[in-house]
Amino acid sequence: MNRFYITTPIYYVNAEPHIGHAYTTIVADVLNRFHKIMGSKTFFLTGTDEHGDKIAQAARSSGISPKAYADRISGLFRQTWPKLGIQSDKFIRTTDSEHVNVVQYVLQKVYDAGEIYFSTYKGFYCVGCERFYTEREIVDGKCPDHDKPLIEREEANYFFRMSKYQDWLIEHLESNPDCIRPERYRNEVLAFLREPLEDLCISRPAERLDWGIPLPFDANYVTYVWFDALLNYVSALGYPGGELFTEFWPVAQHTIAKDILKPHGIYWPAMLKAAGIPMYRHLNVHGYWKTEEGKMSKSHGTVVRPLDMAAVYGAEAFRYFLLREMVFGLDAGFSREALVQRINADLANDLGNLFSRSLAMTERYFEGKIPPFATEPEAMDSELQAKVENALRQFREQMPALGFHKALMAIWECIGAANKYIDTAAPWNLAKDADRHARLKTVIRTLLEVNRVVAVLISPFMPETSAKMLERLGVEKRVEDLRLAKDGAWGSLVGGTGVVKGESLFPRVESSDKKQERLPKPAQEAKRADTTPKAEQSVAALIDIDLFRQVDLRIGRILTAENVPKSEKLVKLLVDIGERRQIVAGIAKTHPPRTLVGKQVVIVANLKPAKLMGIESHGMVLAVRDANDLKLIIPEAETAPGGKIS
Ligand code: MSP
C-alpha cells in the first residue's frame, strides 16, 4: 500500500490564525484527502511553534507566562482547523515533552559526532527573525523582512557545521529536480547555495532567553528556535524508534510558503544529513496571499481571519476559493469581492444549478428513482463523458503535482458541459413524447452520473458538499471511504435508487460592500492603477535645467517580472538599478512578464513610493505611447545597471 505523509509549518503562537495559515493547512488537507481517495495510507501533521524570543516577548506584553500564552494561542489554532473542514492526524506543540526529548536527543547525537562547536560570534541580529544577518543580506542597515534596524551583538554560542553540507545539498537538489517545487523555489535555493554557506548558530544564552529547550550538553544555553522547530516533523512520528517514523518518513512532504524557504531548503536538509536521517521527499512552496492594502498586518486591521470568512461565506466556499484562486507557487490577491464572485458564478450557478436541475428532473420524470441507460449513447453523451474522463485524468495528474487550480478548472469544464447538455438535450421536450421516453432515461442517467463523478472529484476540496451530494444521489458511502478507482468509474450509480433534491447547495450571496461590487472590475482597477498621465498633445512648459536634474533617471535591468493578480495592466518588476527595486508598471498588456526579464530599461529612481493594487512601487519605467502600442525606452547598447542618465 502506498503511503503519504504531509506537514504544514508549525505556526508561531504570537498571532492568531489568518488566511495565510489557513491556506497552507487547507492545501495540506486537500492533498491528504486526495491521496486517501487514491488509496494511500496517509498521515497529516500540523501544530504550533512555541519557543523563542518572539513568543517570550509577546507573552511579556500580555503580562502572562510564556507557557500560559502559548497554551491560549495554540488552542486557537487547534480549534480553528476542524471548523475549516481540516482533519489532521496529529497536532504537535514544541512544548510537548516527547518533542523536547527528541530535540535533545538529536542535539546530543550531532554534538557527539563533532558537528557542533563552540565559538564567539559578532554580528547583526534581528529580534523579529531571531537570527543574525550576514553583510550580504542587510539592506540599508536594516532587516530586509522587518525593515527594522539590526542590533549589533557579540555572543559566545554553539554552531552547527552547516557549511559542510553545501556540496552534498547542491548535488541532491540537482539529482532530484522535483525535491523542492515549483522549480522557481528550487532555483532560489540553488542560487543561495552558489555563495559559500555559513555555519548555523544554534544556541541562545539562557541568561538572555530562557524560553527554549536547554542544550543537553550545556545548561547555560537554550536551543535556537529553528533547530527546535524543524525537528517537529520527525518527533511527531516518534523518531527514532517509532513505527510511524519507519512507515511515513520515507514519503515525507512539507508544505510551506516562500517566507520560510531558507530554513526548510537549507538548514533542515543539513540537519537531517548530520543526524543520519534520510532527506525529505518534497518541499512544496507556495506564494503569499496579499490583501488589497498589500501585506496583511494586525496594526492596519488588514488581517483576514479564516473563521470570519467561514462564518459569512461557509468553510466550503472559502476552501474552494483559496484553492481555485491561487496558482500554487505564485502570490495571489484576496478580496471579498473576488470570493463573492466565485461563490455566485462557480458554486451557486454552475455547480448548484447542475445539481438541482438534475435532481429536480429525476423527481419530476422518474418519481425520484435513478433511471437506467435505456438507449445507446448519442454523440452528445459521448462528448460529455469524454469531458468527465478528462476531468478524472487532470485530477489524477494535477493534484499530486500541486496544480489544484488546473484540476478544478477541468472539473468545472465538465460541470459547464453538463449544464449545456441539459439545454441541448432538452429533457422537457423528450418528456412530452412517449416514444422518446427511453432516450429521456439515458439523458437523466447520464446527468446523474456526471453529478456523482463531480461529487467524488470535489471531495478533497469541499468534503461536506461532496457528502451532501452523494447522499442525495443515494450513494451510501462516507467521503472518507471514497476511492477514485471504484467510485470515479462511469456508470456506478445503482438504477432504481431514490434521490432527493433538497435545498440548493450554495445560495447566492450579496457582497457586503455593494458599492465596490457594482463598480465594474476594470473601472476599479483603472481607478487604482492609472497613475500615469495621458500623452501630452503639445510640448510642455519650459523648465530650468536644475529642475530636470532633480529627476534621477537610471539604467535598470529587469531581474524578475510577474503579473499582478486581477490586473490586466500591471506587472510587478524587480529591477537592478545599482540596487534592487520593486516597481509596478502598467505595461502588462503590451509586454507580458516573460518578455521583460533581462531587458534594460530607463527608470525614474526618485519618485515617491506609491502603492498600486496594494503593491509597493519604488520608481517608474519609462515608455512611450505610439498609436495603440507602448514602447519601452531602452539604452542604445548594454549599459551597466545604475548608470545615471544625463
Ligand atoms: N514557526 C515558523 C515555522 C516553523 S516550521 C518548522 C513560522 N511560523 S508562522 O506562523 O510565521 O507561519 C509561517 C507560515 O504561515 C508560512 O510559511 C505560510 O505557510 C503561512 N503564511 C503566513 N502568512 C502568509 C500569507 N500571507 N500568505 C500565505 N501563507 C502565509 O514561520
Side-chain angles (χ1 to χ4, degrees):
M1 187 188 232
N2 285 332
R3 304 277 192 282
F4 176 76
Y5 173 38
I6 187 87
T7 70
T8 72
I10 45 171
Y11 304 109
Y12 285 130
V13 289
N14 64 344
E16 294 179 16
H18 64 60
I19 184 178
H21 307 125
Y23 175 74
T24 318
T25 318
I26 291 170
V27 163
D29 185 65
V30 168
L31 273 172
N32 196 51
R33 288 177 186 269
F34 165 76
H35 283 274
K36 264 192 201 159
I37 75 169
M38 296 308 285
S40 292
K41 188 169 174 199
T42 67
F43 195 83
F44 169 14
L45 172 72
T46 187
T48 43
D49 186 355
E50 306 186 3
H51 291 125
D53 255 348
K54 233 190 280 209
I55 314 302
Q57 272 182 21
R60 219 173 296 133
S61 49
S62 296
I64 51 176
S65 74
K67 181 65 170 64
Y69 183 80
D71 286 347
R72 183 157 69 80
I73 312 273
S74 177
L76 280 179
F77 276 94
R78 191 197 287 265
Q79 289 153 20
T80 295
W81 302 144
K83 294 180 188 151
L84 296 176
I86 295 162
Q87 280 176 346
S88 63
D89 294 294
K90 185 172 167 89
F91 188 99
I92 192 169
R93 303 182 54 182
T94 51
T95 47
D96 291 342
S97 62
E98 294 86 353
H99 172 76
V100 172
N101 292 340
V102 170
V103 172
Q104 292 189 326
Y105 170 84
V106 171
L107 279 166
Q108 190 67 52
K109 187 172 174 190
V110 177
Y111 183 72
D112 291 345
E115 300 296 84
I116 289 174
Y117 63 91
F118 191 65
S119 170
T120 301
Y121 185 82
K122 190 170 171 187
F124 294 94
Y125 187 84
C126 170
V127 180
C129 300
E130 305 195 19
R131 73 171 177 101
F132 285 97
Y133 270 83
T134 61
E135 293 285 341
R136 256 189 303 127
E137 296 172 309
I138 300 171
V139 178
D140 299 334
K142 292 179 182 168
C143 159
D145 271 2
H146 290 88
D147 200 29
K148 290 209 177 116
L150 296 160
I151 303 162
E152 195 170 7
R153 211 174 243 183
E154 183 176 318
E155 236 169 51
N157 265 310
Y158 286 88
F159 288 81
F160 165 48
R161 292 188 200 282
M162 192 162 74
S163 55
K164 210 174 125 178
Y165 299 96
Q166 179 158 10
D167 292 342
W168 162 77
L169 184 53
I170 294 174
E171 154 66 24
H172 183 90
L173 296 180
E174 273 167 0
S175 46
N176 297 276
D178 66 346
C179 176
I180 299 180
R181 53 187 192 173
E183 203 186 356
R184 51 168 43 209
Y185 295 110
R186 166 183 176 256
N187 293 341
E188 214 171 284
V189 171
L190 281 170
F192 197 85
L193 288 169
R194 256 177 242 129
E195 306 285 334
L197 205 56
E198 291 180 12
D199 289 343
L200 182 68
C201 177
I202 53 130
S203 64
R204 298 290 180 264
E207 60 187 23
R208 179 157 68 71
L209 171 75
D210 63 0
W211 182 236
I213 301 178
L215 292 186
F217 41 83
D218 189 341
N220 293 319
Y221 287 87
V222 298
T223 313
Y224 169 48
V225 66
W226 275 105
F227 203 97
D228 159 357
L230 287 160
L231 284 164
N232 90 88
Y233 300 136
V234 294
S235 72
L237 297 180
Y239 170 81
E243 258 171 48
L244 286 174
F245 180 75
T246 318
E247 195 173 359
F248 287 105
W249 183 253
V251 292
Q253 297 201 18
H254 304 307
T255 312
I256 60 166
K258 61 185 184 181
D259 56 335
I260 49 177
L261 177 60
K262 193 172 165 189
H264 284 82
I266 294 179
Y267 305 174
W268 182 223
M271 286 167 65
L272 287 168
K273 186 75 179 156
I277 306 172
M279 175 70 167
Y280 53 74
R281 271 273 276 276
H282 291 297
L283 180 63
N284 308 320
V285 190
H286 63 77
Y288 247 48
W289 281 98
K290 310 220 161 128
T291 56
E292 288 182 350
E293 296 78 16
K295 222 176 159 176
M296 266 177 284
S297 104
K298 214 151 98 184
S299 50
H300 292 112
T302 52
V303 175
V304 180
R305 285 207 292 259
L307 288 186
D308 292 352
M309 292 300 121
V312 180
Y313 305 104
E316 299 269 296
F318 183 58
R319 287 170 68 108
Y320 170 77
F321 173 80
L322 293 181
L323 274 283
R324 175 65 185 80
E325 199 76 3
M326 180 175 258
V327 175
F328 195 93
L330 303 181
D331 291 350
F334 178 86
S335 70
R336 281 184 183 240
E337 187 196 323
L339 171 58
V340 167
Q341 212 171 341
R342 283 243 175 254
I343 294 177
N344 288 341
D346 301 4
L347 300 180
N349 251 5
D350 298 345
L351 175 60
N353 277 346
L354 172 65
F355 191 63
S356 62
R357 288 166 95 189
S358 308
L359 293 185
M361 289 189 290
T362 315
E363 287 187 347
R364 194 170 319 132
Y365 304 132
F366 301 107
E367 292 166 342
K369 301 270 185 301
I370 298 176
F373 289 108
T375 53
E376 285 303 306
E378 294 186 6
M380 62 157 77
D381 306 351
S382 313
E383 275 163 33
L384 182 56
Q385 200 187 332
K387 287 267 186 235
V388 173
E389 297 299 337
N390 180 54
L392 281 160
R393 190 169 48 246
Q394 292 283 328
F395 181 77
R396 276 198 205 94
E397 283 172 19
Q398 293 295 339
M399 298 293 286
L402 314 169
F404 309 111
H405 74 292
K406 288 196 187 148
L408 285 169
M409 276 160 73
I411 301 171
W412 255 257
E413 233 176 70
C414 192
I415 294 171
N419 272 319
K420 280 211 192 86
Y421 174 91
I422 300 182
D423 300 338
T424 322
W428 43 91
N429 288 338
L430 300 174
K432 285 186 211 145
D433 183 348
D435 289 347
R436 292 165 81 196
H437 234 220
R439 173 69 188 145
L440 178 63
K441 285 182 183 162
T442 304
V443 167
I444 300 299
R445 177 62 183 266
T446 303
L447 278 170
L448 292 174
E449 290 292 341
V450 177
N451 276 282
R452 188 189 50 75
V453 177
V454 166
V456 174
L457 292 180
I458 64 167
S459 67
F461 302 97
M462 295 184 281
E464 258 182 46
T465 307
S466 169
K468 247 190 232 171
M469 289 175 73
L470 291 171
E471 196 192 327
R472 294 191 202 166
L473 284 163
V475 178
E476 280 179 14
K477 207 161 206 185
R478 293 184 332 143
V479 164
E480 285 73 20
D481 300 328
L482 288 175
R483 295 290 172 267
L484 192 68
K486 190 160 172 292
D487 302 304
W490 184 258
S492 70
L493 283 172
V494 180
T497 312
V499 302
V500 188
K501 179 170 169 276
E503 289 176 351
S504 63
L505 291 174
F506 293 96
R508 289 182 69 81
V509 279
E510 285 277 326
S511 169
S512 58
D513 188 352
K514 292 243 189 63
K515 249 213 270 45
Q516 271 273 355
E517 231 211 345
R518 251 184 262 131
L519 218 64
K521 255 188 145 185
Q524 283 182 33
E525 197 167 287
K527 222 177 74 192
R528 271 179 248 122
D530 198 4
T531 52
T532 46
K534 295 280 166 290
E536 296 287 351
Q537 293 302 313
S538 59
V539 174
L542 298 178
I543 56 160
D544 202 272
I545 182 81
D546 285 329
L547 188 60
F548 173 71
R549 283 202 185 111
Q550 287 178 27
V551 184
D552 187 0
L553 292 172
R554 295 205 206 171
I555 298 294
R557 178 190 301 286
I558 300 176
L559 301 173
T560 64
E562 51 185 283
N563 278 320
V564 170
K566 302 232 172 43
S567 166
E568 280 176 19
K569 263 177 76 176
L570 296 182
V571 57
K572 186 173 98 182
L573 307 171
L574 188 64
V575 186
D576 180 3
I577 56 162
E579 61 184 73
R580 288 171 173 221
R581 283 289 182 87
Q582 175 169 301
I583 295 176
V584 180
I587 55 175
K589 275 192 180 155
T590 45
H591 296 76
R594 71 191 139 72
T595 64
L596 289 168
V597 176
K599 270 218 165 77
Q600 292 217 308
V601 281
V602 176
I603 300 291
V604 183
N606 61 339
L607 268 189
K608 282 198 178 131
K611 268 194 179 169
L612 300 178
M613 288 196 75
I615 304 178
E616 283 267 332
S617 180
H618 287 239
M620 184 195 273
V621 178
L622 291 192
V624 60
R625 191 166 288 288
D626 180 21
N628 268 337
D629 207 356
L630 195 68
K631 293 190 179 129
L632 296 174
I633 314 286
I634 55 173
E636 183 184 14
E638 273 288 310
T639 308
K644 227 170 137 50
I645 293 164
S646 54

